[in-house]
Amino acid sequence: MDFASRSRAEELMDDPNLDKKSLEKAYVDINRCNTLLGGTALTIHAIKKIIKKHPKKSYTIYDMGCGDGHMLRKVAETFKEGDFTLHLTGIDQREDVLNIAADASHSYENISFKKADILHLKESKSCDILLCTLTMHHFEEKDILKFVKKFSEITRLAVIINDLERSKLAYRLFQLFSLFFIQTHTAKVDGLISISKGFRKLELMQFAKSLKDVTHKIQWKWAFRYLWIMEPTKRNN
């Protein structure tokens, strides 16, 4: 496989006709993978740093392309003893996925979900922190710049993007990892496709150059992730 450019292959989970049970099982595998390989912890740690930098009594956090709501539930659990309140909203354009997220999150009073097309949100400075985990690689280059520009318009404090590095080593290691820790065919196939649709650091830096009034920090993290934190230079509290 050629990793010089991003793959355009479609992931199995992007099929709107995939049944609910298969989706739920695939999300269990994906969440396990993100937990074991540290992806979830990367986002949580980044949120902690933003909160420490900008202490407030309340934070509104959006999760774009929230999937089954796993990340928001982890955020709610991590900060439940904090001396501030959280208002957590998951945004996705698939109703079947949002139904799964709502069912799994019914006991979390501070989590809600909203059906919306990320690229067509009309909100401005409506959240403090915006999360985007393993969602950006689903988009083609022509849409990614619109995607990140929209994020910078919506957030007051920071955008935290957590996505995959595209590399042959990551691909091969995931093949080995999936033999032991991934149970569903869907997650095994989609994990490899996701890596082939991931990014190189220079590609992310090119997107960053096109954004005004935003500071950027793009870091490679284990396991084969890029953590991209954007902070507006002009904030509206």
Side-chain angles (χ1 to χ4, degrees):
M1 179 176 287
D2 181 12
F3 291 90
S5 58
R6 298 181 61 226
S7 169
R8 295 194 174 192
E10 293 290 330
E11 296 184 31
L12 299 181
M13 288 179 70
D14 288 337
D15 181 355
N17 297 313
L18 188 65
D19 64 277
K20 182 180 179 182
K21 184 171 288 187
S22 295
L23 267 176
E24 289 176 328
K25 288 181 177 180
Y27 274 122
V28 169
D29 273 341
I30 291 169
N31 296 338
R32 182 189 306 115
C33 179
N34 283 327
T35 299
L36 292 175
L37 296 179
T40 302
L42 280 180
T43 296
I44 294 293
H45 182 66
I47 295 171
K48 287 181 178 178
K49 291 179 72 172
I50 297 301
I51 287 177
K52 184 177 181 180
K53 184 175 180 180
H54 304 284
K56 297 176 62 177
K57 293 182 179 179
S58 176
Y59 297 89
T60 297
I61 298 178
Y62 286 177
D63 185 8
M64 295 296 188
C66 64
D68 74 336
H70 171 78
M71 182 58 71
L72 289 181
R73 292 191 293 276
K74 289 300 180 183
V75 172
E77 292 164 6
T78 300
F79 297 103
K80 64 182 179 181
E81 302 299 331
D83 56 354
F84 48 82
T85 58
L86 290 179
H87 305 282
L88 308 172
T89 300
I91 297 174
D92 206 291
Q93 60 181 345
R94 286 185 56 172
E95 192 159 353
D96 55 347
V97 170
L98 289 173
N99 288 336
I100 292 172
D103 289 344
S105 311
H106 67 89
S107 62
Y108 295 79
E109 295 182 356
N110 58 345
I111 298 179
S112 62
F113 296 95
K114 176 180 178 180
K115 182 180 178 182
D117 183 338
I118 295 171
L119 291 176
H120 294 94
L121 285 172
K122 299 185 183 301
E123 303 179 28
S124 177
K125 302 302 179 186
S126 54
C127 73
D128 296 299
I129 301 171
L130 187 148
L131 311 178
C132 181
T133 304
L134 302 182
T135 296
M136 195 167 71
H137 70 261
H138 288 272
F139 290 80
E140 295 185 15
E141 277 77 5
K142 64 183 179 66
D143 289 325
I144 289 178
L145 187 54
K146 299 178 190 175
F147 187 81
V148 293
K149 279 184 176 178
K150 180 64 67 175
F151 288 176
S152 67
E153 294 168 3
I154 291 173
T155 188
R156 290 185 285 263
L157 301 181
V159 175
I160 300 170
I161 296 175
N162 178 342
D163 219 310
L164 301 171
E165 178 190 27
R166 185 179 74 254
S167 77
K168 183 180 292 186
L169 180 57
Y171 192 92
R172 297 305 181 200
L173 288 177
F174 185 83
Q175 286 179 315
L176 180 62
F177 176 88
S178 67
L179 291 175
F180 300 97
F181 299 104
I182 303 294
Q183 298 178 5
T184 64
H185 172 73
T186 299
K188 288 182 180 183
V189 170
D190 280 4
L192 294 173
I193 293 175
S194 293
I195 292 168
S196 72
K197 296 174 78 170
F199 302 93
R200 300 280 174 82
K201 188 171 184 178
L202 284 176
E203 295 166 351
L204 298 179
M205 291 173 67
Q206 285 300 316
F207 294 130
K209 286 180 181 178
S210 300
L211 298 175
K212 297 180 180 179
D213 300 322
V214 179
T215 61
H216 302 272
K217 188 174 185 180
I218 301 173
Q219 297 176 295
W220 185 91
K221 299 286 187 179
W222 176 258
F224 301 98
R225 299 284 184 114
Y226 283 113
L227 185 67
W228 179 5
I229 299 179
M230 293 187 273
E231 297 184 67
T233 55
K234 297 176 182 179
R235 294 196 297 115
N236 292 330
N237 295 315

